Protein backbone atom coordinates (compact mmCIF):
# COMPACT_ATOMS: atom_id res chain seq x y z
CA UNK A 1 0.00 0.00 0.00
CA UNK A 2 1.06 3.60 -0.50
CA UNK A 3 3.07 5.23 2.28
CA UNK A 4 0.57 7.43 4.12
CA UNK A 5 1.01 10.19 6.71
CA UNK A 6 -2.02 10.91 8.91
CA UNK A 7 -2.79 14.18 10.69
CA UNK A 8 -5.47 13.53 13.34
CA UNK A 9 -8.30 16.03 13.75
CA UNK A 10 -7.75 18.64 16.44
CA UNK A 11 -11.51 18.77 17.15
CA UNK A 12 -13.22 15.99 15.21
CA UNK A 13 -16.62 16.61 13.63
CA UNK A 14 -18.37 13.23 13.21
CA UNK A 15 -20.40 14.62 10.31
CA UNK A 16 -17.32 15.22 8.15
CA UNK A 17 -15.35 12.49 6.37
CA UNK A 18 -11.57 12.30 6.38
CA UNK A 19 -9.59 14.06 3.66
CA UNK A 20 -7.10 12.37 1.33
CA UNK A 21 -4.42 14.57 -0.29
CA UNK A 22 -2.71 13.37 -3.47
CA UNK A 23 0.46 15.16 -4.62
CA UNK A 24 1.58 15.79 -8.17
CA UNK A 25 4.51 14.63 -10.30
CA UNK A 26 7.90 14.74 -8.51
CA UNK A 27 6.13 15.59 -5.24
CA UNK A 28 5.60 13.77 -1.97
CA UNK A 29 3.53 13.89 1.19
CA UNK A 30 6.23 16.13 2.67
CA UNK A 31 5.20 18.95 0.32
CA UNK A 32 1.76 19.06 1.96
CA UNK A 33 2.57 18.85 5.67
CA UNK A 34 1.65 22.41 6.69
CA UNK A 35 -1.53 22.47 4.60
CA UNK A 36 -2.57 19.05 5.93
CA UNK A 37 -2.17 20.19 9.54
CA UNK A 38 -4.29 23.26 8.88
CA UNK A 39 -7.01 21.25 7.12
CA UNK A 40 -7.11 18.80 10.05
CA UNK A 41 -8.99 21.18 12.30
CA UNK A 42 -12.28 19.21 12.13
CA UNK A 43 -11.38 15.93 10.43
CA UNK A 44 -8.37 13.67 9.95
CA UNK A 45 -6.23 14.31 6.88
CA UNK A 46 -4.21 11.59 5.14
CA UNK A 47 -1.42 12.43 2.70
CA UNK A 48 0.07 9.75 0.46
CA UNK A 49 3.30 9.28 -1.40
CA UNK A 50 2.25 8.14 -4.87
CA UNK A 51 3.84 5.04 -6.43
CA UNK A 52 7.43 5.66 -7.55
CA UNK A 53 7.58 8.71 -5.25
CA UNK A 54 8.79 9.17 -1.68
CA UNK A 55 8.52 6.13 0.56
CA UNK A 56 5.92 4.28 -1.52
CA UNK A 57 6.61 1.09 -3.49
CA UNK A 58 8.29 1.18 -6.87
CA UNK A 59 6.32 -0.12 -9.84
CA UNK A 60 6.74 -0.44 -13.60
CA UNK A 61 3.54 1.50 -14.40
CA UNK A 62 2.44 5.07 -13.71
CA UNK A 63 -0.94 4.80 -15.44
CA UNK A 64 -3.98 6.57 -14.04
CA UNK A 65 -6.01 3.35 -13.59
CA UNK A 66 -3.13 1.95 -11.52
CA UNK A 67 -2.72 5.14 -9.49
CA UNK A 68 -6.48 5.28 -8.85
CA UNK A 69 -6.32 1.68 -7.68
CA UNK A 70 -3.63 2.66 -5.18
CA UNK A 71 -5.83 5.45 -3.82
CA UNK A 72 -8.82 3.12 -3.58
CA UNK A 73 -6.77 0.71 -1.48
CA UNK A 74 -5.82 3.50 0.92
CA UNK A 75 -9.40 4.76 1.29
CA UNK A 76 -10.86 1.28 1.80
CA UNK A 77 -8.24 0.52 4.46
CA UNK A 78 -8.83 3.77 6.38
CA UNK A 79 -12.57 4.23 5.89
CA UNK A 80 -14.75 5.26 2.98
CA UNK A 81 -15.93 7.63 1.70
CA UNK A 82 -13.41 10.46 1.87
CA UNK A 83 -13.11 13.95 0.47
CA UNK A 84 -10.22 13.83 -2.00
CA UNK A 85 -7.86 16.65 -2.99
CA UNK A 86 -5.41 16.10 -5.83
CA UNK A 87 -2.92 18.40 -7.53
CA UNK A 88 -1.74 18.01 -11.14
CA UNK A 89 -0.91 14.30 -11.67
CA UNK A 90 -2.60 13.64 -8.33
CA UNK A 91 -5.66 15.53 -9.55
CA UNK A 92 -5.92 13.28 -12.59
CA UNK A 93 -5.54 10.18 -10.41
CA UNK A 94 -8.26 11.54 -8.11
CA UNK A 95 -10.57 12.17 -11.08
CA UNK A 96 -9.95 8.65 -12.36
CA UNK A 97 -10.86 7.32 -8.90
CA UNK A 98 -14.04 9.39 -8.68
CA UNK A 99 -15.21 8.33 -12.15
CA UNK A 100 -14.56 4.62 -11.66
CA UNK A 101 -15.24 4.13 -7.93
CA UNK A 102 -17.52 7.04 -7.02
CA UNK A 103 -18.71 5.36 -3.82
CA UNK A 104 -15.28 6.04 -2.30
CA UNK A 105 -15.42 9.82 -2.82
CA UNK A 106 -17.81 12.35 -1.28
CA UNK A 107 -16.38 15.63 -2.60
CA UNK A 108 -13.48 16.20 -4.95
CA UNK A 109 -11.01 19.09 -5.26
CA UNK A 110 -8.92 19.12 -8.44
CA UNK A 111 -6.03 21.57 -8.24
CA UNK A 112 -4.87 23.06 -11.55
CA UNK A 113 -5.42 20.18 -13.96
CA UNK A 114 -8.16 19.01 -16.34
CA UNK A 115 -9.26 15.58 -17.62
CA UNK A 116 -7.49 16.09 -20.94
CA UNK A 117 -4.23 15.05 -22.57
CA UNK A 118 -1.52 17.70 -22.60
CA UNK A 119 1.26 18.09 -25.15
CA UNK A 120 3.95 19.45 -22.82
CA UNK A 121 6.75 17.25 -21.48
CA UNK A 122 8.24 17.23 -17.98
CA UNK A 123 11.29 15.10 -18.68
CA UNK A 124 13.61 18.11 -18.68
CA UNK A 125 13.39 18.06 -14.89
CA UNK A 126 14.36 14.40 -14.80
CA UNK A 127 17.45 15.33 -16.82
CA UNK A 128 18.19 18.13 -14.33
CA UNK A 129 17.87 15.80 -11.34
CA UNK A 130 20.06 13.16 -12.98
CA UNK A 131 22.67 15.81 -13.79
CA UNK A 132 22.93 16.98 -10.17
CA UNK A 133 26.37 16.09 -8.81
CA UNK A 134 25.65 14.16 -5.60
CA UNK A 135 29.31 13.56 -4.71
CA UNK A 136 30.16 14.94 -1.28
CA UNK A 137 26.74 16.55 -0.95
CA UNK A 138 25.83 17.16 2.70
CA UNK A 139 23.48 20.16 2.75
CA UNK A 140 20.31 21.20 0.98
CA UNK A 141 21.73 24.68 0.40
CA UNK A 142 24.65 23.21 -1.51
CA UNK A 143 22.27 20.97 -3.46
CA UNK A 144 20.23 24.05 -4.33
CA UNK A 145 23.36 25.87 -5.53
CA UNK A 146 24.32 22.95 -7.77
CA UNK A 147 20.80 22.44 -9.10
CA UNK A 148 20.57 26.14 -10.00
CA UNK A 149 22.85 25.38 -12.96
CA UNK A 150 19.96 23.60 -14.69
CA UNK A 151 16.79 24.87 -12.90
CA UNK A 152 16.42 28.66 -12.74
CA UNK A 153 13.26 28.87 -10.60
CA UNK A 154 14.19 28.77 -6.87
CA UNK A 155 10.69 27.62 -5.87
CA UNK A 156 10.92 24.68 -8.27
CA UNK A 157 14.35 23.78 -6.92
CA UNK A 158 13.02 23.82 -3.37
CA UNK A 159 10.12 21.62 -4.45
CA UNK A 160 12.37 19.05 -6.17
CA UNK A 161 14.91 18.99 -3.35
CA UNK A 162 12.29 17.84 -0.86
CA UNK A 163 12.61 14.50 -2.69
CA UNK A 164 16.39 14.31 -2.23
CA UNK A 165 17.49 12.02 0.60
CA UNK A 166 20.67 13.58 1.96
CA UNK A 167 20.97 10.94 4.71
CA UNK A 168 21.42 8.13 2.20
CA UNK A 169 24.97 7.08 1.41
CA UNK A 170 25.44 8.36 -1.20
CA UNK A 171 22.54 10.88 -1.38
CA UNK A 172 19.73 9.68 -3.64
CA UNK A 173 16.45 10.86 -5.14
CA UNK A 174 13.29 9.42 -3.59
CA UNK A 175 11.87 9.16 -7.12
CA UNK A 176 11.91 6.31 -9.63
CA UNK A 177 13.21 8.54 -12.39
CA UNK A 178 13.57 5.72 -14.94
CA UNK A 179 9.90 4.72 -14.74
CA UNK A 180 8.65 8.31 -14.57
CA UNK A 181 10.57 9.10 -17.74
CA UNK A 182 9.32 5.97 -19.49
CA UNK A 183 5.72 6.61 -18.45
CA UNK A 184 5.70 10.37 -19.17
CA UNK A 185 3.28 10.02 -22.14
CA UNK A 186 0.73 8.43 -19.78
CA UNK A 187 1.34 11.01 -17.04
CA UNK A 188 0.75 14.05 -19.27
CA UNK A 189 -2.01 12.18 -21.10
CA UNK A 190 -5.48 11.11 -20.06
CA UNK A 191 -6.89 7.58 -20.50
CA UNK A 192 -10.18 8.77 -21.99
CA UNK A 193 -12.16 7.56 -18.98
CA UNK A 194 -15.90 7.97 -19.33
CA UNK A 195 -18.66 8.04 -16.73
CA UNK A 196 -19.99 10.69 -14.40
CA UNK A 197 -19.12 11.62 -10.86
CA UNK A 198 -22.22 13.10 -9.28
CA UNK A 199 -20.51 14.55 -6.22
CA UNK A 200 -19.61 18.21 -5.94
CA UNK A 201 -16.23 18.93 -7.54
CA UNK A 202 -14.12 22.07 -7.23
CA UNK A 203 -11.67 22.87 -10.03
CA UNK A 204 -9.32 25.25 -8.23
CA UNK A 205 -6.74 26.85 -10.51
CA UNK A 206 -4.00 29.44 -10.45
CA UNK A 207 -5.00 32.64 -12.25
CA UNK A 208 -1.57 32.71 -13.92
CA UNK A 209 -1.74 29.07 -15.02
CA UNK A 210 -2.91 27.80 -18.41
CA UNK A 211 -3.58 24.19 -17.43
CA UNK A 212 -7.38 24.54 -17.23
CA UNK A 213 -8.52 26.46 -20.29
CA UNK A 214 -12.08 27.71 -20.85
CA UNK A 215 -12.49 25.33 -23.79
CA UNK A 216 -12.03 22.36 -21.41
CA UNK A 217 -15.16 23.20 -19.42
CA UNK A 218 -17.60 21.25 -21.59
CA UNK A 219 -15.48 18.13 -21.14
CA UNK A 220 -15.22 18.76 -17.41
CA UNK A 221 -18.96 19.24 -16.99
CA UNK A 222 -19.75 16.10 -18.99
CA UNK A 223 -17.75 14.04 -16.48
CA UNK A 224 -18.36 16.14 -13.36
CA UNK A 225 -21.82 17.72 -13.71
CA UNK A 226 -21.64 19.37 -10.27
CA UNK A 227 -18.47 21.27 -11.12
CA UNK A 228 -17.49 24.53 -9.46
CA UNK A 229 -14.63 26.73 -10.71
CA UNK A 230 -12.42 29.12 -8.78
CA UNK A 231 -9.09 30.88 -9.39
CA UNK A 232 -6.41 32.02 -6.97
CA UNK A 233 -5.08 35.46 -7.96
CA UNK A 234 -1.33 35.68 -8.41
CA UNK A 235 -0.82 31.91 -8.44
CA UNK A 236 0.48 29.62 -11.16
CA UNK A 237 0.45 25.84 -11.48
CA UNK A 238 1.95 25.24 -8.00
CA UNK A 239 -0.84 27.28 -6.45
CA UNK A 240 -0.77 25.47 -3.10
CA UNK A 241 2.89 26.44 -2.64
CA UNK A 242 2.56 29.96 -4.03
CA UNK A 243 -0.63 30.96 -2.17
CA UNK A 244 -0.96 28.37 0.64
CA UNK A 245 -3.26 30.28 2.98
CA UNK A 246 -5.64 31.33 0.20
CA UNK A 247 -5.54 27.76 -1.12
CA UNK A 248 -6.44 26.34 2.30
CA UNK A 249 -9.30 28.79 2.73
CA UNK A 250 -10.84 27.92 -0.64
CA UNK A 251 -10.58 24.19 0.08
CA UNK A 252 -12.01 24.56 3.59
CA UNK A 253 -14.99 26.59 2.44
CA UNK A 254 -15.81 24.10 -0.32
CA UNK A 255 -15.37 20.92 1.73
CA UNK A 256 -17.22 22.23 4.78
CA UNK A 257 -20.18 23.72 2.88
Amino acid sequence: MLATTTYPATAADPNLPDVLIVHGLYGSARNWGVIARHLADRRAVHVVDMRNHGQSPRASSQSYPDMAGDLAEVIMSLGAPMDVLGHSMGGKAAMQLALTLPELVRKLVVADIAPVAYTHDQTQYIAAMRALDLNGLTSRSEADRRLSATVDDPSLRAFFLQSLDLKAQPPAWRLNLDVLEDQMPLIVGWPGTTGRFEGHTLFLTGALSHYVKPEYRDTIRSLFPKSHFAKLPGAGHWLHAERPREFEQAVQVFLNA
Side-chain angles (χ1 to χ4, degrees), residues 14 27 34 73 125 172 197 226 242 244:
V34 174
E73 184 180 22
Y125 298 123
F197 174 63
K226 294 180 181 176
E242 297 166 1

Side-chain angles (χ1 to χ4, degrees), residues 194-249:
T194 58
R196 287 162 64 91
F197 174 63
E198 299 292 346
H200 287 280
T201 304
L202 174 63
F203 285 83
L204 183 58
T205 61
L208 304 179
S209 172
H210 303 289
Y211 275 69
V212 185
K213 298 179 180 179
E215 54 263 38
Y216 298 159
R217 289 200 176 190
D218 286 345
T219 297
I220 290 171
R221 290 193 177 102
S222 70
L223 299 171
F224 304 95
K226 294 180 181 176
S227 295
H228 310 262
F229 299 89
K231 290 185 177 183
L232 291 187
H237 183 58
W238 282 271
L239 64 171
H240 60 291
E242 297 166 1
R243 294 288 186 270
R245 303 293 82 81
E246 295 90 337
F247 181 88
E248 291 166 10
Q249 183 179 27

Side-chain angles (χ1 to χ4, degrees), residues 128 143-152 157:
D144 179 74
R145 187 191 68 78
R146 296 184 188 183
L147 190 59
S148 67
T150 51
V151 179
D152 293 333
R157 294 198 303 271

Side-chain angles (χ1 to χ4, degrees), residues 38-41 43 247-257:
H38 290 169
L39 293 179
D41 58 339
R43 85 274 293 287
F247 181 88
E248 291 166 10
Q249 183 179 27
V251 171
Q252 288 273 34
V253 168
F254 174 73
L255 294 184
N256 294 341

Side-chain angles (χ1 to χ4, degrees), residues 91-136:
K92 282 189 172 180
M95 287 189 282
Q96 176 75 19
L97 173 69
L99 290 170
T100 55
L101 292 168
E103 66 274 13
L104 300 183
V105 182
R106 188 193 70 144
K107 287 185 175 182
L108 180 64
V109 178
V110 181
D112 213 68
I113 204 72
V116 301
Y118 293 88
T119 58
H120 64 267
D121 192 352
Q122 300 286 357
T123 54
Q124 72 271 24
Y125 298 123
I126 292 178
M129 285 184 264
R130 282 192 177 130
L132 179 65
D133 180 9
L134 301 175
N135 292 322

Side-chain angles (χ1 to χ4, degrees), residues 114-188:
V116 301
Y118 293 88
T119 58
H120 64 267
D121 192 352
Q122 300 286 357
T123 54
Q124 72 271 24
Y125 298 123
I126 292 178
M129 285 184 264
R130 282 192 177 130
L132 179 65
D133 180 9
L134 301 175
N135 292 322
L137 196 57
T138 59
S139 71
R140 210 160 295 278
S141 60
E142 175 59 18
D144 179 74
R145 187 191 68 78
R146 296 184 188 183
L147 190 59
S148 67
T150 51
V151 179
D152 293 333
D153 188 335
S155 62
L156 271 183
R157 294 198 303 271
F159 170 71
F160 295 146
L161 289 173
Q162 289 192 54
S163 292
L164 181 63
D165 184 1
L166 288 172
K167 294 181 180 179
Q169 293 298 327
W173 292 101
R174 296 190 187 95
L175 298 164
N176 190 344
L177 296 177
D178 290 343
V179 169
L180 296 178
E181 181 178 44
D182 177 71
Q183 299 281 288
M184 191 61 65
L186 296 181
I187 295 170
V188 300

